[in-house]
Amino acid sequence: MPSNLDAQQTIQKLIHIVGKQHVLTDDNDTRLYRQGRRYGSGQVLAVVVPGSLLEQWQVLQAAVDADCIVIMQAANTGLTGGSTPFGDDYDRPVILINTRRLVGIQVINDAKQVVCLPGATLDKLEKELAVFNREPHSVIGSSCIGASVLGGVCNNSGGALVRRGPAYTELALYARVNESGQLELVNHLGIQLGSTPEEILSNLENQQYQLTDIENDQHCCASDHRYAHDVTQVDENTPARFNADPSRLYEASGSAGKVCVFAVRLDTFEKIPSQVFYVGTNTQQDLTAIRRFLLTDLPRLPIAGEYIHRVAYDIGAEYGKDTFMFIEKFGTAKVPAAFAMKDKVDGYLEKIGMKGLSDKVLQMLSKFLPSHLPKRMNEFRDLYEHHLVLRIENQDVEQVQQFLQHYFSANTTGNYFLCTEEEGRKAFLHRFAVAGAAIRYRDTHRSEVEDIVALDIALRRNDREWVETLPKEMDELIIHKLYYGHFLCHVFHQDYIVKKGVDPLAIEHQMWSLLDARGAEYPAEHNVGHLYVAKPALKKHYQKLDPTNSFNVGIGHTSKLKYWNQETN
């Protein structure tokens, strides 16, 4: 580790590049950046927030010259601690580079593609594309909490939209540290921008390029062209998508911060008029039959299909209520600022021994807010254990309605209704409010709850027994089990609220054994972070990108030592 003098010299270099207010070293100031949303935390030498791509390059150069570890971070919305430090056992100082100020979005090729800089959010991209009647890869879910576009690509994020699959591109501009320890800029963006890093980065940020500089190589994809086919293969004995799928690891895609990405080029998608069905049932067989019909008999894939179990519905309704109503009133763009403000308050309260107070106050206030979920949804909650929210293209609505009507006339275990526009919007928003509700439950019941075990899993496409049954001895250690997810893709999020005194890590490892026995892959879409073990193909991808182990070290339980501690496989 460097001396205090070396550390101070490095900090002064960083201040010279970006200005004093954008180099954070105090624990209170860095807390928001060095703690994961749900998991992981550690110490840093500094958090640096560059204001231009050229500044980011210069900060990166200073960090490499000082032999520091670099952690790249955008919105820090991940659930596995994958963009924060983890522990204090690094062999070099850690510099965290946050890209939230680098917010550029450039629309190209008649809005059929975009170039996104590191701080571009899904929410902002959705708004930019709306005027062209087009959409980004993901339009709800993580976009509700300010997730970045680049974070999605780097972390194999999946998303709710069935036709679009995981976030993926083969067109990116990124920096890496090569085998000789030298920083190099790789321009695979498919746009001629110059020859030196300074030229390339300045020309890109200022959009100083012509239509003729844009290459349209049919061999390089800016989205996952295979997924729409893969998801329909409902009799295959493997998952449709999962984080470590070797066929979907390509340079920046799935890089998990093992390189420094400056821009990605992505396809956009036509906005399609649609309607929402709400389905409830008390048996998994009903939803399996509906899934197989939707993926094999319709002329076009459904747009989305989201699952909510009754327990998740209830926890989300009570503990996600304020998030739901905040988004309803202020929109998704205001959510990151609200999270940042809450984090500052939480940091202060934690220092004076009042951890969790803000959550208790917010939860108490939410009880006085009016009912926020539609009447018909709540009626289905009382009647049915399993809930499915389907978004169907307008021209397929009649065929789906006929199928559901015929199916439930013969099967009295469930029912459906066609949503009004407001019901449909609220149904999907409720599904995504569920994702943060377990955290609120934990933080308001700390005397009863040890922690949350949060898994995202990909079941095999041919699985008909997708409802989990835990061994009795494990079930007794858990207060609540929240099941929800992207049902048509067979990707499920499973949050287990663990009783006080129970070791969450031991529970998680037992869960992994059960999932292995079921042929499931995990994680499905949130990347390994510091929670999961990187499988061989994923680890090989990381080592190829980052041979000196300078970026986001330790990810996926890999070595934290320089040069991977001589690891060769």
Side-chain angles (χ1 to χ4, degrees):
M1 299 295 284
S3 67
N4 287 336
L5 179 61
D6 290 338
Q8 284 305 311
Q9 287 175 340
T10 300
I11 290 169
Q12 286 304 312
K13 283 184 182 178
L14 298 173
I15 289 172
H16 179 72
I17 296 167
V18 302
K20 190 171 183 178
Q21 72 181 103
H22 301 301
V23 179
L24 312 177
T25 56
D26 182 81
D27 279 356
N28 286 338
D29 296 332
T30 61
R31 183 180 186 275
L32 176 67
Y33 303 92
R34 57 184 173 80
Q35 285 194 166
R37 178 68 45 98
R38 182 181 284 179
Y39 181 80
S41 64
Q43 295 301 311
V44 296
L45 176 64
V47 172
V48 188
V49 190
S52 69
L53 295 184
L54 188 55
E55 283 186 1
Q56 180 168 299
W57 170 259
Q58 292 168 341
V59 166
L60 197 56
Q61 186 69 69
V64 172
D65 290 345
D67 196 25
C68 291
I69 289 165
V70 174
I71 296 177
M72 299 303 304
Q73 181 187 88
N76 191 20
T77 60
L79 302 179
T80 60
S83 59
T84 59
F86 186 77
D88 301 314
D89 56 341
Y90 294 98
D91 64 341
R92 290 152 285 166
V94 175
I95 292 176
L96 191 155
I97 303 176
N98 183 277
T99 63
R100 62 182 172 82
R101 296 173 65 205
L102 308 176
V103 294
I105 295 171
Q106 300 171 10
V107 179
I108 63 172
N109 289 346
D110 298 321
K112 291 179 181 176
Q113 289 189 326
V114 289
V115 174
C116 292
L117 303 192
T121 65
L122 281 168
D123 178 75
K124 178 67 174 173
L125 181 56
E126 184 181 347
K127 289 180 171 64
E128 291 266 341
L129 291 175
V131 297
F132 302 99
N133 198 40
R134 297 189 73 82
E135 294 176 335
H137 161 266
S138 180
V139 297
I140 195 166
S142 53
S143 58
C144 290
I145 51 175
S148 72
V149 177
L150 265 69
V153 171
C154 294
N155 291 312
N156 304 92
S157 296
L161 300 175
V162 183
R163 302 177 183 187
R164 301 176 194 177
Y168 180 81
T169 187
E170 296 168 1
L171 301 167
L173 173 66
Y174 62 93
R176 68 190 292 265
V177 177
N178 63 24
E179 292 81 354
S180 303
Q182 301 300 307
L183 186 67
E184 59 184 21
L185 188 68
V186 179
N187 182 11
H188 288 170
L189 201 59
I191 303 175
Q192 296 298 323
L193 294 164
S195 53
T196 68
E198 292 75 15
E199 265 187 316
I200 292 168
L201 296 171
S202 296
N203 286 338
L204 174 62
E205 187 157 28
N206 297 316
Q207 208 164 348
Q208 294 295 313
Y209 55 87
Q210 307 299 318
L211 188 62
T212 53
D213 294 320
I214 301 173
E215 301 166 359
N216 290 298
D217 184 351
Q218 299 302 313
H219 298 291
C220 290
C221 301
S223 62
D224 187 342
H225 293 176
R226 294 187 296 115
Y227 187 73
H229 168 266
D230 291 353
V231 74
T232 63
Q233 305 307 295
V234 296
D235 292 314
E236 290 294 319
N237 198 37
T238 55
R241 59 178 167 96
F242 58 97
N243 187 266
D245 182 353
S247 69
R248 291 183 168 100
L249 300 175
Y250 188 94
E251 296 184 350
S253 294
S255 61
K258 297 302 287 183
V259 293
C260 172
V261 183
F262 287 86
V264 293
R265 180 172 159 189
L266 297 165
D267 289 334
T268 68
F269 303 87
E270 183 184 358
K271 200 170 189 176
I272 298 171
S274 61
Q275 295 182 59
V276 174
F277 288 91
Y278 199 95
V279 179
T281 179
N282 287 312
T283 173
Q284 64 180 323
Q285 287 80 10
D286 288 348
L287 295 193
T288 295
I290 292 168
R291 172 178 174 266
R292 293 177 70 87
F293 162 76
L294 293 171
L295 294 179
T296 60
D297 289 359
L298 280 185
R300 287 157 290 273
L301 278 172
I303 294 171
E306 294 297 304
Y307 170 76
I308 316 173
H309 185 270
R310 178 188 275 154
V311 174
Y313 184 105
D314 290 345
I315 298 290
E318 184 172 355
Y319 295 91
K321 183 177 181 180
D322 56 335
T323 299
F324 181 106
M325 297 189 78
F326 183 92
I327 293 170
E328 278 277 280
K329 185 168 180 60
F330 299 107
T332 58
K334 301 290 184 184
V335 174
F339 271 111
M341 182 181 296
K342 181 180 179 297
D343 184 82
K344 285 189 178 296
V345 172
D346 287 344
Y348 173 76
L349 291 173
E350 195 172 322
K351 278 193 167 184
I352 61 174
M354 301 180 75
K355 186 175 182 178
L357 180 61
S358 69
D359 287 287
K360 289 180 180 178
V361 170
L362 288 169
Q363 192 56 37
M364 181 181 67
L365 291 174
S366 73
K367 292 182 184 298
F368 295 98
L369 296 172
S371 177
H372 63 297
L373 295 178
K375 180 183 177 183
R376 287 201 289 180
M377 280 176 57
N378 286 331
E379 288 173 348
F380 265 46
R381 178 263 165 228
D382 295 339
L383 291 169
Y384 305 116
E385 179 182 0
H386 306 288
H387 298 240
L388 181 63
V389 189
L390 298 170
R391 185 172 292 281
I392 303 294
E393 187 170 337
N394 276 356
Q395 58 186 320
D396 297 324
V397 165
E398 185 178 351
Q399 186 177 347
V400 172
Q401 188 157 17
Q402 287 175 354
F403 171 82
L404 293 174
Q405 191 171 17
H406 180 264
Y407 183 87
F408 285 120
S409 67
N411 297 272
T412 58
T413 48
N415 207 343
Y416 79 97
F417 62 86
L418 184 59
C419 295
T420 64
E421 185 176 344
E422 181 184 21
E423 286 173 330
R425 177 174 51 78
K426 289 188 172 183
F428 274 96
L429 182 52
H430 178 55
R431 152 63 186 91
F432 292 104
V434 167
I439 301 173
R440 169 63 59 76
Y441 186 98
R442 177 197 64 189
D443 293 343
T444 55
H445 294 78
R446 289 191 175 274
S447 62
E448 306 157 31
V449 176
E450 186 65 34
D451 209 341
I452 301 165
V453 172
L455 302 177
D456 65 296
I457 68 165
L459 296 182
R460 296 170 298 189
R461 283 168 280 181
N462 64 352
D463 271 326
R464 294 174 181 264
E465 302 296 321
W466 48 269
V467 174
E468 180 180 67
T469 303
L470 293 177
K472 185 171 183 260
E473 60 273 18
M474 286 183 69
D475 207 36
E476 290 174 345
L477 304 177
I478 297 167
I479 300 172
H480 291 299
K481 303 183 292 289
L482 280 68
Y483 299 115
Y484 55 99
H486 314 307
F487 184 69
L488 300 182
C489 307
H490 257 199
V491 167
F492 292 85
H493 301 290
Q494 302 184 171
D495 295 345
Y496 307 91
I497 301 174
V498 178
K499 291 180 179 178
K500 197 73 175 177
V502 175
D503 182 1
L505 197 57
I507 290 283
E508 183 173 354
H509 289 170
Q510 291 178 63
M511 295 288 183
W512 291 354
S513 297
L514 294 175
L515 292 172
D516 289 341
R518 296 173 69 189
E521 290 282 355
Y522 51 91
E525 60 180 12
H526 283 160
N527 211 298
V528 290
H530 291 282
L531 188 60
Y532 300 94
V533 176
K535 293 189 175 180
L538 192 58
K539 183 177 174 182
K540 185 177 180 181
H541 183 56
Y542 294 160
Q543 290 177 318
K544 181 180 179 182
L545 292 173
D546 184 21
T548 65
N549 203 18
S550 297
F551 289 93
N552 210 8
V553 308
I555 192 110
H557 292 227
T558 58
S559 171
K560 286 188 172 182
L561 301 178
K562 194 170 184 180
Y563 291 105
W564 300 89
N565 191 26
Q566 307 306 314
E567 289 182 9
T568 57
N569 53 51

